[in-house]
PDB file of all heavy atoms in Angstrom:
ATOM      1  N   LYS A1112      17.772 -32.131 -12.036  1.00 91.00           N
ATOM      2  CA  LYS A1112      17.235 -30.790 -11.798  1.00 91.00           C
ATOM      3  C   LYS A1112      17.955 -29.754 -12.661  1.00 91.00           C
ATOM      4  O   LYS A1112      19.178 -29.768 -12.760  1.00 91.00           O
ATOM      5  CB  LYS A1112      17.349 -30.445 -10.317  1.00 91.00           C
ATOM      6  CG  LYS A1112      16.504 -31.374  -9.452  1.00 91.00           C
ATOM      7  CD  LYS A1112      16.396 -30.889  -8.035  1.00 91.00           C
ATOM      8  CE  LYS A1112      15.432 -31.779  -7.259  1.00 91.00           C
ATOM      9  NZ  LYS A1112      15.110 -31.258  -5.943  1.00 91.00           N
ATOM     10  N   ILE A1235       9.149 -25.526  -8.306  1.00 98.00           N
ATOM     11  CA  ILE A1235       9.689 -25.850  -6.983  1.00 98.00           C
ATOM     12  C   ILE A1235      10.463 -27.162  -7.036  1.00 98.00           C
ATOM     13  O   ILE A1235      11.590 -27.265  -6.537  1.00 98.00           O
ATOM     14  CB  ILE A1235       8.552 -25.939  -5.943  1.00 98.00           C
ATOM     15  CG1 ILE A1235       7.889 -24.569  -5.757  1.00 98.00           C
ATOM     16  CG2 ILE A1235       9.084 -26.458  -4.613  1.00 98.00           C
ATOM     17  CD1 ILE A1235       6.622 -24.614  -4.916  1.00 98.00           C
ATOM     18  N   ARG A1236       9.859 -28.180  -7.647  1.00 98.00           N
ATOM     19  CA  ARG A1236      10.496 -29.513  -7.681  1.00 98.00           C
ATOM     20  C   ARG A1236      11.761 -29.535  -8.520  1.00 98.00           C
ATOM     21  O   ARG A1236      12.615 -30.404  -8.329  1.00 98.00           O
ATOM     22  CB  ARG A1236       9.493 -30.544  -8.201  1.00 98.00           C
ATOM     23  CG  ARG A1236       8.349 -30.839  -7.258  1.00 98.00           C
ATOM     24  CD  ARG A1236       7.553 -32.053  -7.707  1.00 98.00           C
ATOM     25  NE  ARG A1236       6.856 -31.809  -8.962  1.00 98.00           N
ATOM     26  CZ  ARG A1236       5.609 -31.359  -9.063  1.00 98.00           C
ATOM     27  NH1 ARG A1236       4.919 -31.084  -7.966  1.00 98.00           N
ATOM     28  NH2 ARG A1236       5.046 -31.192 -10.242  1.00 98.00           N
ATOM     29  N   ASP A1237      11.907 -28.584  -9.432  1.00 97.00           N
ATOM     30  CA  ASP A1237      13.064 -28.565 -10.325  1.00 97.00           C
ATOM     31  C   ASP A1237      14.298 -27.921  -9.683  1.00 97.00           C
ATOM     32  O   ASP A1237      15.363 -27.892 -10.283  1.00 97.00           O
ATOM     33  CB  ASP A1237      12.704 -27.795 -11.609  1.00 97.00           C
ATOM     34  CG  ASP A1237      13.758 -27.940 -12.690  1.00 97.00           C
ATOM     35  OD1 ASP A1237      14.196 -29.074 -12.952  1.00 97.00           O
ATOM     36  OD2 ASP A1237      14.164 -26.910 -13.259  1.00 97.00           O
ATOM     37  N   ALA A1238      14.169 -27.402  -8.465  1.00 98.00           N
ATOM     38  CA  ALA A1238      15.258 -26.632  -7.855  1.00 98.00           C
ATOM     39  C   ALA A1238      16.231 -27.507  -7.068  1.00 98.00           C
ATOM     40  O   ALA A1238      15.818 -28.374  -6.294  1.00 98.00           O
ATOM     41  CB  ALA A1238      14.674 -25.570  -6.933  1.00 98.00           C
ATOM     42  N   ARG A1262       7.483 -27.435   2.045  1.00 98.00           N
ATOM     43  CA  ARG A1262       7.189 -28.874   2.126  1.00 98.00           C
ATOM     44  C   ARG A1262       7.371 -29.544   0.767  1.00 98.00           C
ATOM     45  O   ARG A1262       7.928 -30.643   0.659  1.00 98.00           O
ATOM     46  CB  ARG A1262       5.753 -29.094   2.617  1.00 98.00           C
ATOM     47  CG  ARG A1262       5.519 -28.736   4.068  1.00 98.00           C
ATOM     48  CD  ARG A1262       4.136 -29.194   4.529  1.00 98.00           C
ATOM     49  NE  ARG A1262       3.759 -28.506   5.751  1.00 98.00           N
ATOM     50  CZ  ARG A1262       2.925 -27.456   5.795  1.00 98.00           C
ATOM     51  NH1 ARG A1262       2.390 -26.997   4.676  1.00 98.00           N
ATOM     52  NH2 ARG A1262       2.625 -26.901   6.952  1.00 98.00           N
ATOM     53  N   GLU A1263       6.882 -28.885  -0.275  1.00 98.00           N
ATOM     54  CA  GLU A1263       7.019 -29.428  -1.629  1.00 98.00           C
ATOM     55  C   GLU A1263       8.490 -29.557  -2.016  1.00 98.00           C
ATOM     56  O   GLU A1263       8.917 -30.564  -2.590  1.00 98.00           O
ATOM     57  CB  GLU A1263       6.288 -28.517  -2.617  1.00 98.00           C
ATOM     58  CG  GLU A1263       6.250 -29.022  -4.045  1.00 98.00           C
ATOM     59  CD  GLU A1263       5.133 -30.027  -4.297  1.00 98.00           C
ATOM     60  OE1 GLU A1263       4.109 -29.979  -3.591  1.00 98.00           O
ATOM     61  OE2 GLU A1263       5.306 -30.850  -5.199  1.00 98.00           O
ATOM     62  N   ALA A1264       9.285 -28.529  -1.690  1.00 98.00           N
ATOM     63  CA  ALA A1264      10.711 -28.542  -2.024  1.00 98.00           C
ATOM     64  C   ALA A1264      11.444 -29.632  -1.255  1.00 98.00           C
ATOM     65  O   ALA A1264      12.310 -30.327  -1.805  1.00 98.00           O
ATOM     66  CB  ALA A1264      11.319 -27.172  -1.737  1.00 98.00           C
ATOM     67  N   LYS A1265      11.110 -29.790   0.020  1.00 98.00           N
ATOM     68  CA  LYS A1265      11.754 -30.823   0.832  1.00 98.00           C
ATOM     69  C   LYS A1265      11.429 -32.213   0.287  1.00 98.00           C
ATOM     70  O   LYS A1265      12.296 -33.086   0.220  1.00 98.00           O
ATOM     71  CB  LYS A1265      11.309 -30.712   2.290  1.00 98.00           C
ATOM     72  CG  LYS A1265      12.250 -29.866   3.146  1.00 98.00           C
ATOM     73  CD  LYS A1265      12.149 -30.294   4.601  1.00 98.00           C
ATOM     74  CE  LYS A1265      13.183 -29.587   5.454  1.00 98.00           C
ATOM     75  NZ  LYS A1265      14.572 -29.906   5.146  1.00 98.00           N
ATOM     76  N   ALA A1266      10.183 -32.408  -0.118  1.00 98.00           N
ATOM     77  CA  ALA A1266       9.778 -33.700  -0.663  1.00 98.00           C
ATOM     78  C   ALA A1266      10.534 -34.013  -1.947  1.00 98.00           C
ATOM     79  O   ALA A1266      10.783 -35.187  -2.272  1.00 98.00           O
ATOM     80  CB  ALA A1266       8.274 -33.715  -0.922  1.00 98.00           C
ATOM     81  N   ALA A1267      10.928 -32.945  -2.666  1.00 98.00           N
ATOM     82  CA  ALA A1267      11.680 -33.114  -3.914  1.00 98.00           C
ATOM     83  C   ALA A1267      13.190 -33.132  -3.667  1.00 98.00           C
ATOM     84  O   ALA A1267      13.974 -33.066  -4.608  1.00 98.00           O
ATOM     85  CB  ALA A1267      11.324 -31.990  -4.887  1.00 98.00           C
ATOM     86  N   ARG A1268      13.590 -33.185  -2.402  1.00 97.00           N
ATOM     87  CA  ARG A1268      14.998 -33.294  -1.986  1.00 97.00           C
ATOM     88  C   ARG A1268      15.842 -32.069  -2.346  1.00 97.00           C
ATOM     89  O   ARG A1268      17.040 -32.181  -2.630  1.00 97.00           O
ATOM     90  CB  ARG A1268      15.640 -34.568  -2.552  1.00 97.00           C
ATOM     91  CG  ARG A1268      14.956 -35.839  -2.098  1.00 97.00           C
ATOM     92  CD  ARG A1268      15.665 -37.085  -2.614  1.00 97.00           C
ATOM     93  NE  ARG A1268      14.997 -38.296  -2.171  1.00 97.00           N
ATOM     94  CZ  ARG A1268      15.176 -38.888  -0.984  1.00 97.00           C
ATOM     95  NH1 ARG A1268      15.994 -38.350  -0.109  1.00 97.00           N
ATOM     96  NH2 ARG A1268      14.533 -39.997  -0.691  1.00 97.00           N
ATOM     97  N   ALA A1269      15.220 -30.917  -2.340  1.00 98.00           N
ATOM     98  CA  ALA A1269      15.990 -29.675  -2.500  1.00 98.00           C
ATOM     99  C   ALA A1269      16.597 -29.291  -1.161  1.00 98.00           C
ATOM    100  O   ALA A1269      16.059 -29.621  -0.094  1.00 98.00           O
ATOM    101  CB  ALA A1269      15.081 -28.552  -2.983  1.00 98.00           C
TER     102      ALA A1269
END
Side-chain angles (χ1 to χ4, degrees):
K1112 296 191 174 189
I1235 295 171
R1236 291 191 294 268
D1237 190 47
R1262 290 189 197 101
E1263 185 83 27
K1265 267 206 173 295
R1268 300 183 180 277

